[in-house]
């Protein structure tokens, strides 16, 4: 769960800094409506920065949600198992 929360924090930081990164180093507003090959010819580094940004953002969000969901499901299963074990032992003693 800690790793998923860490990825979630990284995703939030990327979302908050996204406009700053894209406007100053990435494709920004002016080149965003150009076809990719035309933008690549005029500003290849900006295209790379924008692609790296998206490549980092999407997995951070998806993996964070997946890891946190899996951790919560495992915790729930363990709590249910423990409650079932406690009920079984209480009914066996009577």
């Amino acid at each position: 769960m800690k790793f998923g929360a860490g990825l979630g924090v990284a995703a939030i930081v990327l979302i908050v800094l996204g406009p700053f990164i894209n406007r100053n180093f990435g494709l920004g507003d002016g080149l965003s409506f150009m076809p990719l090959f035309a933008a690549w010819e005029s500003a290849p580094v900006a295209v790379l920065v924008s692609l790296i940004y998206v490549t980092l953002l999407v997995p951070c969000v998806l993996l964070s949600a997946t890891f946190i969901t899996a951790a919560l499901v495992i915790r729930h299963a363990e709590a249910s198992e423990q409650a079932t074990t406690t009920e079984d032992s209480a009914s066996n003693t009577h």
Side-chain angles (χ1 to χ4, degrees), residues 38-63:
W40 179 262
E41 289 176 3
S42 64
V45 175
V47 172
L48 287 176
V49 168
S50 293
L51 288 176
I52 290 171
Y53 168 74
V54 171
T55 304
L56 288 174
L57 179 64
V58 172
C60 280
V61 171
L62 293 177
L63 287 174

Side-chain angles (χ1 to χ4, degrees), residues 2-4 9-10 19 28 30 38-39 50 55 63-65 69-71 73-74 86-87:
K2 290 179 183 178
F3 189 68
V9 169
S50 293
T55 304
L63 287 174
S64 173
T69 302
V73 167
I74 290 170
T86 306
E87 288 175 4

